[in-house]
Structure formats: C-alpha cells, structure tokens
Amino acid sequence: MNAPLPPAVPAGDPPHAADVPDATLDALDSLIIDTLQGGFPLLPRPYAAVADSIGLTEAVLLKRLQRLLTGRVLTRFGPMYQIERMGGAFVLAALAVPEARFDAVAAQVGALPAVAHNYRREHHFNMWFVLATATPGGIADAIIDIESATGLRVYDFPKLREYYVGMRFTVGGQAPVGTLPDSTQGNHEVELDERDRQLIRASQGGLPLLPQPYRHLGEALAMTEDEVCQRLGRMLQNGVIRRIGAVPNHYAIGYAANGMAVFDVDDAHIDALGERIGGLPYVSHCYRRLRRLPQWPYSLFAMCHGSSRDEVMQQVAAIRQLLGAACRGHEVLFSTRMLKKSGLRI
C-alpha cells in the first residue's frame, strides 16, 4: 500500500516545488533506496543480483528505479566520482544575490557545466554551489565566468583538509546519515588513461537501466563487458570512484532539514577537533576550509541532517559543546531550495 512522501521541510517553511517530488513511496521503494546507496556489484547482470538479494525480480527493480529517477526521488544512480583523484579540482563557493535577481542568477549559475551542486541557503550569502573542473585551473576560469555573467563577486572556500565524507540517507529521515565507511583516502592524483576517461564520461551521468549496463557501456566505447568492470573496479579500489549507487533527494525521503554548520575554530586545535566532528553519526561531510576575512571567519564546515530544524539545532549545539573554548563563534545555514544537483562533468 502506498504511503505519502514525508514532508520536504518543517511546518512553517513551505518547500519549493522543485524539491518535492510528486510521487508516493511504498515499502519496496524504501527497501530499494535504503539498499542501493553503495556496493552495486560489478557483475554481468548486476540488477538481477541485487533484485534477488532483496526478493524482487530484475524487471521490477529496473521499473522501480526508473520511476524513482523520473519522479526525482533519486537524483542519480551510478558511479560517484572523486574529481581530485582524476587530476581535477572542486571548491565550495557562494554568492550574495539580491533577492529580486535570485532566480535569474540561479539560472545563470546552473547553466555552467562546472557547477555540480547548487543550493539556496538562509544567509546573506544565499547561494552556495560546488564547482568541479577537470583541471585545477578550470576553477578560476569558472569563477571568472560566473562573475562576468552575474556582476557579483564569487567567494570561494577551498578545502584545506577533508575529515569525513560518507553520506547514507534512510527513508523516513530518522537514521544517522554518517554511517558509510569513511571515504577519505587523501587527494593524490591517480593515473588514468584515455580509455578510463572515456568510461568516466560515459557513466558520470548514471548507469543505463538495462539488464546488462556494463555491456551496454562497453558497446558504446568499443570495450568488452569485462574491461568495463575491471576499469570500474580499479577506480573503486583507488578512490577515483567513491561508490556506485543511488543518490536520494534527501527532502523527498524525510530529511527535511539540511543545515550547513560553520565554526570559527582556533587553527591550533582544528584538525584534532575536525576528526572528532567528522566521526559524529549525524555529520555527512566535514571539512576544514579557507576563511575569507573579514566577511567569513569560519573554517570548520559540517553538514548536518535531520527530520526537523529542531533536531539539526540540537546536533549543532552538541558540536558546539564538543568544540569548547577552541570555537569563537558559529552559524547554521539551512538550505531551502535545491537549485541543481547533477554531479561532476568532465
């Protein structure tokens, strides 16, 4: 029996239409979403293998996945690439956009292929996006493009250290999100050949929803199915691929509150504290980033998720207590609109 989707945001904060899929989830949808966020097999018929493991047929699983993607309950399904391992770069950046121009600027920013994710957040800096480019120099070029198009200054916050990235969302919004194995393996570049890059370009938008997806990819690239699986397996092993699986629209499955908590932490203590914050079960991402004084004094960023704002604020209060005297101030920037979430493109 179908049940309504969980609310996209807490009462009092109307969701934006783009964030709230017009769909319903039943127990099978929930099982698929909860199961397929990592560990997708590199087998000739991977969907059949997964379907069998959860008591479904291959045809039912493929049909359900297609419905979840079409209904925007899932934003992607396939490999999640780590662009730094590929010789590229990514950076978090923000704009302070005048309210009257917000939608127009969002369209300008979203049209740039280098923009992988973009969110509206409650702050003077109200537009936050991730730039991902195939070369480090591409970041500066993308910033120039955005500033030229919008007439607004881009504030970029390069990553100085990654403490934790390991997000898993569970339908209902009640389970901890920081429960995947820590995927931080350093940022050293992995040597890739042109065949690897062809495969990345062919799969970065998602895996084909066909019984033999790796064979289908191989046919388009003049590779055998075995070669595709071997190359993907090697990229999983060396960290070029963080995981292969589903990316849920967290608003759609019950994580109504998404808060980017930022802290001004003493440089002498930030690394030790950052490791502790990254280990908390409700933190999905934790980084040390460059300050932009005087406008932005914060150096420790932690993404917190919950079913309500009160829940997220309790999480942030616990982090603030853990940081103690080393923290000179903090803010929580709640996201209110998902403007773009496409993942990287090379």
Side-chain angles (χ1 to χ4, degrees), residues 36-239:
L36 283 180
Q37 291 183 53
F40 192 67
L42 295 172
L43 298 172
R45 296 190 74 119
Y47 296 108
V50 172
D52 184 65
S53 74
I54 58 177
L56 302 179
T57 66
E58 179 185 61
V60 168
L61 177 59
L62 287 167
K63 184 177 180 179
R64 292 278 182 146
L65 279 174
Q66 184 62 71
R67 186 174 75 89
L68 292 168
L69 286 162
T70 301
R72 294 177 289 109
V73 176
L74 300 180
T75 62
R76 280 181 292 150
F77 182 84
M80 311 299 146
Y81 287 101
Q82 216 287 39
I83 199 164
E84 290 173 320
R85 288 299 184 94
M86 299 154 52
F90 75 93
V91 69
L92 180 68
L95 291 171
V97 184
E99 201 58 39
R101 295 183 56 202
F102 192 90
D103 287 345
V105 172
Q108 290 174 307
V109 172
L112 189 69
V115 176
H117 303 153
N118 192 8
Y119 284 84
R120 177 170 184 147
R121 298 193 185 278
E122 294 177 341
H123 193 267
H124 171 66
F125 294 125
N126 54 1
M127 186 179 294
W128 289 81
F129 49 93
V130 173
L131 295 171
T133 59
T135 64
I139 296 292
D141 293 339
I143 289 173
I144 291 170
D145 288 345
I146 293 171
E147 291 183 336
S148 297
T150 65
L152 301 171
R153 177 181 171 183
V154 173
Y155 291 84
D156 61 317
F157 303 97
K159 178 182 68 175
L160 302 180
R161 184 161 174 183
E162 182 176 303
Y163 301 116
Y164 180 81
V165 177
M167 177 171 53
R168 178 187 289 276
F169 291 117
T170 302
V171 175
Q174 299 299 315
V177 297
T179 56
L180 284 178
D182 186 358
S183 61
T184 60
Q185 302 179 45
N187 298 320
H188 62 274
E189 183 178 347
V190 172
E191 185 175 350
L192 301 172
D193 62 24
E194 183 54 31
R195 304 271 281 177
D196 289 325
R197 294 186 181 277
Q198 289 173 356
L199 180 55
I200 291 167
R201 286 190 287 270
S203 59
Q204 63 191 356
L207 287 179
L209 294 183
L210 297 169
Q212 293 179 278
Y214 306 125
R215 180 178 177 180
H216 183 81
L217 285 171
E219 288 173 347
L221 300 171
M223 297 183 194
T224 66
E225 183 177 66
D226 283 347
E227 182 182 356
V228 169
C229 291
Q230 288 170 9
R231 287 179 180 274
L232 290 174
R234 189 162 56 246
M235 287 190 276
L236 271 168
Q237 187 174 21
N238 61 30

